[in-house]
Every structure is written in structure tokens, then in C-alpha cells.
Amino acid sequence: MNRQLNGDLAKDADAQNLLERIARLKQDRDAVILAHYYVAPEVQAAADYVGDSFYLAKLAVSLPQQTIVLCGVEFMGESAKLLNPSKTVLLPDPAADCPMAHMVKRETVEAARERYGDDLAVACYVNSTVEVKSWSDVCVTSSNAVKIVSELPQHHVLFIPDRNLGRYVAEQVPDKHIILNQGCCPRHEEVSLDELRELKAQHPAARVLAHPECTEQVLAEADYIGATSGIIAAAEASDADEFIVVTVRGVLYELQRRCPSKRFYFTHTPPTCRDMDMVTLEKVAACLETGLGEVAVDPAAAPQAKLTLDRMLEYAAR
């Protein structure tokens, strides 16, 4: 069942017409719509399920529909296809990409394997291409990276591609030797420390909820650090009435939906993912209508890439 539109969106006749059209097309195509918390509110409203990367990856393998519309960026569609090779996976905008997904070189992985041998595990953030996953041993997300890395049998762990999440994991799992790669999420990396401190001064009672893709300096200002789903859960469970949210602004829709009486603030230059913003209701309807945007993965890289995702789900279930 579609999530309810709120505010002015509910009064938008065009949006309502699109939602009705999408509902009909879903039935015709035996489709389910999955959306990330970072896409536009109206797209989240059209989705059957909304969540972070781990939730969507785990959910995809349990759904009966033969077509999955993944409202997010390319690596999310690829992950859904790897986990559901017999199903059709559609991206409303195939050009929506994640810059960080490409920020690692094969030589970095090969050099670490040569140096540490069998005592090295390559832990790959799910925000990565199929090819990068195929170089790796296990996939992780921001919500399960600490748990999975702590349980790996190897002492040395090359964490790719995000240095910020890798550094956060290293702090939480000090008994492991975490080797960092120099990739990052440009949106979280660019969060202004000065703007955050200014916001804290304006709202001294507000709790700061931050994503671990942020820089070390920004995370030092946080009261809570966690994945997008964790940030939402922390706000929902907290007795506080005000929150400064340090992640992509798209999460505001779910925060307001779950916590209508609470107030949320973002830095003056809010983190906005331009690629996630490329996903629109019109494009969701168009891909259902035409079948365009179908995800295909490299058959040579797919088996090993899928294995990293399978291992992630196995570790996370323990």
C-alpha cells in the first residue's frame, strides 16, 4: 500500500494522478516499488517500501513480485539485480549514480592482498559498483559495518571505498587493523563544521544526529552517529523535541512522518544528493510503462559480487 502524501503534496492533483497511474502500472507489470530515504518525498509516497540500503537489499530477496522498481542510484539497482537475477529490476533514472561507488582502484586491493595474504578481508561498502564488489570478500552497509567487521576472522581489513565510514568502524573495532581507502561521499564530506556549530549555538537543546559518512570533525559534534534508519529511530525514541540532522535532507520526509510534533534542522547548506534528486514520480511512471531503465550486470563480475552481498546478509543475520 502506498504511503500517504503529507502537506501540500496531498493537494497536488498532478501528483495524485501520477500515483493512481503508477498503482495501475504496478498491477499490470507485477511490480513493487522500493525507495531510499534520500529520494524526493513524493517518490517515497509512491513506494511500497522505503528504507536505507541494508533494508532494501535484505527486503529485495523476500518479495514475490517479478519486477522491482528501485528508486535510488545505480549501485542500489545493481545490488537488487545481483540478489534477484531472475527478476526485472528497473531504475527510474539510470543516470543517477553515486560518485563514491567508483572511488577505489584495483591496485589498492591487490597491493593489500599481496601484503597481508590470507589474513586480509576486503570489506566493501554497499555504495560501490558491481566490479568493485567483485574484488571484495564481504559487503557492508552503514547500519551493519561495525558488526560485520568485528566478526570477520581476519585481523587486517581493507575498507573500501569510504574513508569516513572506515575510520568510524576502526574506532568502534580497535582490535582490528583497518586499512583506509581515500574515497568519500561528496555530500557528507562537504558538511560545514562552522555551519553545524552555528546551528548548535542557535538550538542548544537540539540533539545532533549524524551519519558516519561525515568527516571526523563533524562526527565529534554529534550526540548520535548511525545509518539513516538509525537516525530516524533515534529521533523517534528520544525524549528531545529538537534535532540537528547531519545527513542528506531527503530523510526529513520520514522524520516528519514518524515524529510530527518534533522539529528538525539542517545546516545552512544542507547535504543534498543531486543524483537521488534525479528520481521523479514522472520517471517512476515512465519506467513502469515502457520498461526502460532495466538493470543489467556484468556476468563475469556478478558471481563474486553477489557472494559479497550474500555474505553480508549471512553475517547480519547472526
Side-chain angles (χ1 to χ4, degrees):
M1 185 169 70
N2 288 343
R3 297 147 64 85
Q4 186 176 1
L5 286 165
N6 62 13
D8 293 337
L9 289 172
K11 304 172 187 175
D12 188 327
D14 290 338
Q16 289 290 355
N17 289 337
L18 268 175
L19 286 175
E20 292 171 6
R21 180 178 158 207
I22 287 167
R24 290 194 300 269
L25 290 167
K26 279 196 310 177
Q27 285 190 329
D28 294 342
R29 192 177 275 276
D30 186 27
V32 62
I33 299 177
L34 311 184
H36 193 275
Y37 287 128
Y38 291 166
V39 298
E42 60 270 22
V43 177
Q44 294 185 48
D48 299 290
Y49 301 94
V50 179
D52 62 8
S53 297
F54 176 59
Y55 173 76
L56 296 179
K58 182 172 64 171
L59 179 67
V61 300
S62 66
L63 296 172
Q65 290 87 352
Q66 288 304 300
T67 298
I68 297 171
V69 178
L70 204 300
C71 298
V73 295
E74 185 177 26
F75 80 80
M76 297 177 184
E78 290 177 340
S79 295
K81 183 63 178 179
L82 287 169
L83 290 167
N84 299 271
S86 65
K87 293 187 179 182
T88 298
V89 178
L90 302 176
L91 283 170
D93 193 325
D97 197 1
C98 171
M100 179 171 61
H102 307 271
M103 291 184 186
V104 60
K105 297 179 179 178
R106 185 160 194 166
E107 302 90 86
T108 300
V109 177
E110 291 176 344
R113 290 200 186 280
E114 183 175 352
R115 178 171 182 180
Y116 297 106
D118 293 339
D119 199 23
L120 176 85
V122 179
C124 181
Y125 194 17
V126 73
N127 301 37
S128 54
T129 66
V130 169
E131 183 181 15
V132 170
K133 287 181 177 70
S134 75
W135 305 339
S136 308
D137 298 303
V138 65
C139 225
V140 300
T141 70
S142 51
S143 60
N144 62 31
V146 170
K147 169 180 167 52
I148 291 176
V149 168
S150 69
E151 293 180 7
L152 291 172
Q154 296 87 350
H155 175 64
H156 307 283
V157 179
L158 172 62
F159 195 97
I160 58 175
D162 183 22
R163 65 171 176 258
N164 290 319
L165 179 57
R167 186 199 63 254
Y168 174 74
V169 170
E171 292 170 355
Q172 304 303 308
V173 192
D175 58 318
K176 297 279 187 179
H177 173 218
I178 309 295
I179 306 154
L180 300 181
N181 175 67
Q182 288 308 304
C184 67
C185 168
R187 315 307 168 221
H188 288 91
E189 179 89 359
E190 292 166 0
V191 173
S192 166
L193 180 61
D194 290 340
E195 288 184 10
L196 175 57
R197 287 175 172 168
E198 181 181 356
L199 198 55
K200 288 180 69 175
Q202 293 170 358
H203 305 281
R207 287 178 56 81
V208 179
L209 313 177
H211 196 284
E213 288 181 17
C214 294
T215 64
E216 184 175 12
Q217 295 77 16
V218 166
L219 293 185
E221 303 285 330
D223 298 296
Y224 171 85
I225 300 169
T228 317
S229 58
I231 287 173
I232 294 166
E236 195 172 21
S238 176
D239 293 333
D241 296 320
E242 297 181 290
F243 302 89
I244 296 168
V245 182
V246 193
T247 190
V248 173
R249 190 181 175 88
V251 73
L252 180 61
Y253 174 72
E254 184 69 9
L255 285 168
Q256 290 179 329
R257 193 181 76 85
R258 293 202 201 177
C259 311
S261 64
K262 297 183 178 183
R263 295 182 295 280
F264 300 97
Y265 309 107
F266 291 80
T267 53
H268 179 70
T269 310
T272 301
C273 180
R274 293 187 290 272
D275 287 276
M276 290 285 193
D277 290 346
M278 293 166 65
V279 181
T280 65
L281 269 185
E282 291 82 2
K283 291 175 182 177
V284 172
C287 81
L288 278 166
E289 200 161 47
T290 65
L292 293 176
E294 182 171 354
V295 176
V297 295
D298 179 1
Q304 178 59 33
K306 181 179 185 300
L307 182 59
T308 67
L309 290 167
D310 290 338
R311 285 174 176 160
M312 175 184 75
L313 297 177
E314 290 169 9
Y315 270 106
R318 293 180 181 178

